[in-house]
Amino acid sequence: MNRQGKVWGWTKPLYIGNNTEIHEVKINENGYCSRHSHVHKSNQFYVMSGKLKIIIWKDYGKGNYLEDVTVLGAGESCVVPPGDDHRFVALEDTHALEIYYVELNPSDIKRVDHGGVLQYAE
């Protein structure tokens, strides 16, 4: 797969399939991505070398956002849940894996009515 240059460094997809994506990323010191969110995907960051700051804006309703900040070093990771605005910032040159995945939830069902057995008149 092809490496793609970014303003902040580069990204290279390593695996895409089965509700999962794994990207190798190189983020230059002080490089950062846009503030964004994902509708269905969780976004996990695993740092191989360097230091990466992850900022997550938690929406507590009525425009009331709180900022959670996690600084990751080599061998550390964190997960951003779907729907949460987030951004990464490299505090030094950083080499990391960015892992996206979709979790299937068995309780992910919204029932309108109940099943049953049809009764047919003969």
Side-chain angles (χ1 to χ4, degrees):
M1 298 187 184
N2 294 329
R3 189 167 90 165
Q4 176 67 46
K6 299 282 188 177
V7 169
W8 44 259
W10 55 260
T11 182
K12 178 182 174 183
L14 300 176
Y15 175 81
I16 298 175
N18 298 326
N19 299 319
T20 304
E21 293 181 38
I22 302 172
H23 297 251
E24 178 184 7
V25 293
K26 174 68 171 77
I27 308 157
N28 299 323
E29 184 175 8
N30 297 318
Y32 64 92
C33 70
S34 64
R35 177 176 170 169
H36 67 283
S37 66
H38 304 279
V39 175
H40 301 290
K41 296 189 288 190
S42 291
N43 194 180
Q44 182 174 4
F45 298 91
Y46 176 82
V47 174
M48 295 184 289
S49 67
K51 279 199 173 154
L52 190 64
K53 178 165 71 170
I54 308 297
I55 305 165
I56 303 172
W57 288 271
K58 295 284 192 180
D59 182 1
Y60 290 98
K62 299 181 183 175
N64 185 17
Y65 285 90
L66 292 179
E67 201 174 278
D68 288 341
V69 176
T70 303
V71 176
L72 303 172
E76 296 181 316
S77 70
C78 77
V79 175
V80 179
D84 285 355
D85 282 4
H86 59 283
R87 161 179 288 148
F88 62 69
V89 180
L91 301 179
E92 57 190 58
D93 286 347
T94 301
H95 191 201
L97 295 176
E98 191 170 14
I99 304 161
Y100 302 100
Y101 56 92
V102 177
E103 292 184 61
L104 299 179
N105 184 342
S107 65
D108 184 14
I109 186 168
K110 184 177 177 183
R111 296 186 192 280
V112 176
D113 60 13
H114 299 281
V117 178
L118 293 175
Q119 302 294 321
Y120 293 100
E122 299 220 13

